[in-house]
Amino acid sequence: ALMVDTCFVEELASAAPAPGGGGASAYVGALAAALASMVGSLTVGKKTYAEVEGEVMHHLEELKGLRSRLIELVDADARAFKPLAAAYRMPKGTPEELAAKQDAIQRALVGATEVPLDIMRTVARVVDHADYLAHHGSRMARSDAGVSAAFARAAVDGASLNVYINAASMDDPARALRVREEASAIASTTRERCDELFDFVVKEVS
């Protein structure tokens, strides 16, 4: 029987604030990378695809690293949220306490936006490989490349929401604008690429 990580799913479903949408987005991104790898794995060793085998091996190697990174980012997202949750729970009875609390929140918001941005950047790179493999990899596995594109889009959109909600609480307008703009740019570019890739797969398998 296949081992499904029910622990992560149950923890996600619980009242615990982490893991949340950011970690789930990283996990979905890892699944997108794994599906793209599946297409590559079903391509190597086949005579029909002998001339692209070297290139496919390169994509598989890159995807392995991206997959590992996204799994790390599942944990990193939960770790980044902990100091933010702790900062929001700090007392604010005196002006000194309030100042300390606001300072702690602002410091924690940096990590809470940087991790989902990292998830977005990493998933955008997964799409490069999924795109190549959808066009040049095993036609038998083309539908899996389409699922990879659908998951990659969801992962990037999901992570972007975590950037936006945390940037909205930042006191530094320049930093907030910078992270929002980067998230928005990655999201729109990746969404477009994933939609194109998904539509290509639909036409090929229909």
Side-chain angles (χ1 to χ4, degrees):
L2 282 172
M3 293 298 294
V4 177
D5 189 357
T6 52
C7 293
F8 177 74
V9 176
E10 290 305 315
E11 192 68 17
L12 196 58
S14 77
S25 298
Y27 198 94
V28 170
L31 293 176
L35 282 160
S37 292
M38 178 183 172
V39 180
S41 297
L42 288 165
T43 306
V44 294
K46 305 281 167 49
K47 278 185 215 166
T48 320
Y49 307 102
E51 58 186 59
V52 293
E53 181 152 323
E55 191 65 20
V56 169
M57 296 287 280
H58 163 72
H59 287 283
L60 280 171
E61 197 53 42
E62 292 290 309
L63 281 164
K64 188 179 177 183
L66 294 170
R67 200 163 69 238
S68 296
R69 179 68 188 136
L70 285 159
I71 293 296
E72 285 170 6
L73 286 164
V74 173
D75 284 335
D77 189 73
R79 282 198 308 274
F81 184 76
K82 277 179 184 162
L84 185 60
Y88 279 121
R89 287 194 302 268
M90 285 169 70
K92 54 179 181 179
T94 68
E96 291 78 16
E97 283 178 342
L98 182 60
K101 177 175 182 160
Q102 286 172 335
D103 182 56
I105 289 170
Q106 291 307 310
R107 275 186 282 118
L109 284 168
V110 175
T113 51
E114 195 49 49
V115 175
L117 263 178
D118 202 352
I119 294 166
M120 294 179 77
R121 294 182 198 115
T122 310
V123 174
R125 288 170 59 203
V126 169
V127 180
D128 296 337
H129 304 292
D131 190 62
Y132 176 87
L133 291 161
H135 287 84
H136 304 284
S138 171
R139 283 182 286 278
M140 298 288 289
R142 204 159 258 167
S143 61
D144 298 298
V147 181
S148 175
F151 282 16
R153 177 183 166 147
V156 164
D157 278 345
S160 74
L161 293 175
N162 284 265
V163 176
Y164 299 143
I165 195 168
N166 289 310
S169 299
M170 284 181 164
D171 286 344
D172 180 346
R175 185 191 282 277
L177 180 64
R178 189 168 70 247
V179 296
R180 265 200 306 268
E181 283 183 341
E182 186 182 353
S184 181
I186 297 172
S188 60
T189 306
T190 308
R191 198 177 294 130
E192 198 175 306
R193 293 183 67 207
C194 289
D195 286 350
E196 275 176 20
L197 179 49
F198 190 85
D199 291 346
F200 164 75
V201 171
V202 169
K203 288 187 186 79
E204 290 295 313
V205 301
S206 298

